Amino acid sequence: MARSHVYIVGAGFSKHAGLPLQSEFTKALLEPRANECHPMRPLADYLGKFVHDAFDHKKDANAKFWPSLEDVFTNIDLAANTGHHLGHEHAPSDLRKTRRVLLARMIRMLDERFAKAESAKDADWRRLDRFFQKLNTKDSGFISINWDTVIERKVAGLAETHSIDYRCGALPAVFPSKGNVVAGHQPPDGKATIPIVKIHGSVNWLYCDNCRQLYWFPMKDGLSISMQLITGNEADSLNLHDVSGCAKWRCSNCTDVPLTTRIATFSYLKALDFPMFERSWLSAERLLRQAKKWIFIGYSLPAADYEFKHLLKRIQLSMSPPPEFVVITGGPKSATESVYRNYHGFFGRGIRKQENFFRNGLTAKAIAAAQE
Ligand SMILES: [Zn+2]
């Protein structure tokens, strides 16, 4: 069924649910350092050592001294993917481990932040609740640039039950209490299905490298997913306390193959040539083409997303009539000015400062314009 409204959401959208913007990610990743007993502390220490070796900072250097995560991921990817070292100590297999440690810590961090915001329920949280309560779920679809599960969790909190469809062939599954093979799970039939296309992957997805099946898991299972990224041997070498869930879960078709994640990280070199990404991108194209209104929330249209921007441009130019736009952003005036310039420069005169560009986040006025 065609959706008249498509919401294209970036990190600024998830910020309403307590999640960090990209520029604040490093600080959030390193939070376990402040707590001796934090289960993820060994991962933060391991990452500190890597940044010491590769970027010449103290092992306990504060987040503000770290290189950008784009630089970290891009250098890991360019070396590891072509079979090269990054300095004496970091062979390709070590780099792949570092990448997985980074992802494991990220998945947990996103979970921690969401839980904290859920208990605090500040003004931003309530604005996001209002946005979802007013959402016409039958006419709406989402394209998310993020890997977090804020949309899914908010949809689950709606009074009416809904099922979600990632539109990339992902099967709903659960981690059973016995054994180590994931089980298919049909969520209860919802009255409406909400398409949520995630063009960079999702933290609740696991992938089988053998049969290429993608599974998605309930949002509350972040811990199981993050531990899946670390093998038992690696957990030992990292001095992780709880190693029971390490690389535990197996595909239900190939019961001896451990499942893995596929997330397109902050790297400039996004690994998008996997079947679920191909399908997600085609689904994004379909949603955009069929919608009459494109609503951007908390997404700055950065240069690094050139492939996605080309998709948007290509579809905009082939639609008649062209899509209507609404852009909702937030932050200090200088930041919102630069977002305005990005959008106006890219899409042209369809972006009108006084009319469809909202710079104060999810205000009642912005929500009304988006959902109109
Ligand atoms: Zn398989």
Side-chain angles (χ1 to χ4, degrees):
M1 189 176 61
R3 309 280 163 156
S4 58
H5 289 56
V6 60
Y7 295 88
I8 300 123
V9 306
F13 180 81
S14 297
K15 188 173 191 297
H16 289 83
L19 272 47
L21 293 174
Q22 192 168 331
S23 57
E24 300 156 352
F25 248 71
T26 306
K27 187 163 175 253
L29 289 180
L30 297 177
E31 269 164 11
R33 282 173 169 179
N35 176 0
E36 195 70 48
C37 308
H38 194 294
M40 291 274 130
R41 167 124 191 207
L43 299 193
D45 291 344
Y46 176 86
L47 295 172
K49 170 155 187 337
F50 172 75
V51 165
H52 164 264
D53 295 352
F55 295 94
D56 187 35
H57 295 287
K58 286 186 191 164
K59 286 179 188 162
D60 59 353
N62 198 293
K64 69 179 178 204
F65 297 111
W66 274 44
S68 71
L69 286 175
E70 287 100 326
D71 277 342
V72 174
F73 274 117
T74 305
N75 278 285
I76 290 177
D77 289 350
L78 284 173
N81 297 1
T82 58
H84 289 93
H85 276 58
L86 194 64
H88 297 271
E89 287 187 41
H90 299 273
S93 62
D94 302 310
L95 294 171
R96 285 193 290 273
K97 172 181 166 188
T98 305
R99 183 165 55 199
R100 285 182 286 104
V101 168
L102 255 170
L103 288 175
R105 174 62 201 129
M106 245 176 218
I107 293 171
R108 288 297 296 144
M109 179 273 286
L110 294 172
D111 234 25
E112 289 160 10
R113 287 298 183 97
F114 187 91
K116 204 166 151 189
E118 190 171 29
S119 62
K121 292 193 172 46
D122 70 359
D124 270 351
W125 180 274
R126 296 195 301 273
R127 277 191 200 115
L128 194 60
D129 273 349
R130 235 177 355 251
F131 167 82
F132 277 97
Q133 279 152 14
K134 289 185 178 292
L135 186 71
N136 179 343
T137 52
K138 293 189 180 67
D139 266 339
S140 305
F142 286 87
I143 297 173
S144 178
I145 314 299
N146 310 328
W147 329 298
D148 64 66
T149 51
V150 169
I151 305 169
E152 292 92 323
R153 292 185 200 228
K154 288 293 181 185
V155 165
L158 293 175
E160 196 184 342
T161 53
H162 295 84
S163 40
I164 55 173
D165 184 356
Y166 288 116
R167 298 211 172 169
C168 65
L171 283 181
V174 290
F175 300 115
S177 53
K178 279 188 188 146
N180 62 352
V181 175
V182 300
H185 160 74
Q186 203 48 50
D189 262 352
K191 287 187 182 141
T193 299
I194 303 186
I196 304 175
V197 174
K198 301 183 93 167
I199 59 166
H200 292 155
S202 185
V203 294
N204 63 326
W205 294 359
L206 287 175
Y207 179 68
C208 176
D209 285 315
N210 190 41
C211 70
R212 304 189 176 196
Q213 179 60 54
L214 181 70
Y215 299 91
W216 70 266
F217 296 87
M219 319 314 150
K220 62 176 174 44
D221 289 334
L223 180 63
S224 301
I225 302 227
S226 66
M227 293 314 287
Q228 182 69 15
L229 303 191
I230 296 170
T231 67
N233 287 342
E234 288 168 354
D236 281 339
S237 72
L238 288 164
N239 291 324
L240 274 182
H241 306 301
D242 179 16
V243 298
S244 56
C246 286
K248 174 179 174 184
W249 297 103
R250 302 289 187 263
C251 173
S252 63
N253 304 320
C254 328
T255 53
D256 52 354
V257 179
L259 294 169
T260 59
T261 52
R262 285 285 179 274
I263 289 176
T265 61
F266 288 132
S267 175
Y268 286 117
L269 192 75
K270 292 214 179 348
L272 295 171
D273 45 355
F274 289 97
M276 69 281 205
F277 287 134
E278 278 170 24
R279 294 175 76 169
S280 292
W281 283 65
L282 285 171
S283 295
E285 171 155 0
R286 199 168 303 123
L287 274 181
L288 288 163
R289 204 177 281 290
Q290 291 173 344
K292 73 176 187 8
K293 199 178 223 178
W294 295 3
I295 304 119
F296 295 87
I297 307 179
Y299 178 54
S300 64
L301 213 60
D305 290 348
Y306 63 91
E307 285 167 308
F308 183 58
K309 287 173 74 171
H310 180 59
L311 178 82
L312 293 169
K313 178 48 81 186
R314 200 159 54 68
I315 299 170
Q316 178 208 4
L317 293 180
S318 65
M319 281 172 69
S320 177
E324 296 167 32
F325 296 102
V326 171
V327 179
I328 302 173
T329 186
K333 180 132 202 276
S334 58
T336 60
E337 265 313 295
S338 113
V339 171
Y340 175 75
R341 277 197 304 277
N342 273 357
Y343 276 90
H344 188 259
F346 194 73
F347 289 119
R349 288 168 286 179
I351 307 292
R352 293 175 295 272
K353 214 175 220 176
Q354 309 300 336
E355 227 172 280
N356 58 4
F357 184 81
F358 298 88
R359 57 174 80 236
N360 296 312
L362 284 174
T363 57
K365 198 174 157 200
I367 294 176
Q371 297 180 343
E372 189 176 275

